[in-house]
Amino acid sequence: KGMVETLKAELEARKKEKEREAVAAATPQPQPSVLPQRHQPTDEFDGVDGLSPRVSRALRTTGLSHHRRTFADQRIDSDAIRDASPSDLQELGLTQNEVLALKRLLTTAAAASPAPT
């Protein structure tokens, strides 16, 4: 009887370990950024969703809010978006049209901003 109890306990422990491994495998892990590391982020990142207000606004304005988590996980600021090639942004899951819309918006916003003095 003692051996049966031991085997049952061992099987239960293995089952729980496999469940933990399955949960860990299903949990998304932060991915290293695919964007070039040419600069330090210059935008202020907020604590609410991990995005800078500028990037958050750009994603909302261009209808790309569904990419918020990716941009937050990668700590992508507006300079990174401007510096990134279209293929860099497409690697994050954006379509070519989404890349063009986002870059166009940020270029227009940068041109409209007063130059630093």
Side-chain angles (χ1 to χ4, degrees), residues 14-85:
R14 286 182 185 176
K15 181 179 175 184
K16 286 182 180 182
E17 180 61 29
K18 285 187 179 190
E19 287 172 357
R20 280 193 293 270
E21 288 173 0
V23 168
T27 304
Q29 301 297 318
Q31 299 296 317
S33 181
V34 298
L35 298 181
Q37 298 297 315
R38 291 180 245 185
H39 69 283
Q40 294 294 320
T42 56
D43 290 346
E44 292 283 326
F45 288 88
D46 66 31
V48 176
D49 61 5
L51 286 174
S52 74
R54 182 179 294 167
V55 171
S56 184
R57 204 171 29 256
L59 291 175
R60 265 193 323 276
T61 302
T62 55
L64 302 177
S65 293
H66 55 283
H67 290 290
R68 292 171 67 80
R69 179 58 32 222
T70 300
F71 278 66
D73 289 347
Q74 300 287 329
R75 306 272 304 159
I76 297 171
D77 68 358
S78 55
D79 288 340
I81 295 169
R82 279 192 293 272
D83 290 348
S85 71

Side-chain angles (χ1 to χ4, degrees), residues 2-3 17 39 41 50 52 93 95 107 111 113:
M3 184 191 273
E17 180 61 29
H39 69 283
S52 74
T95 66
T107 300
S113 297

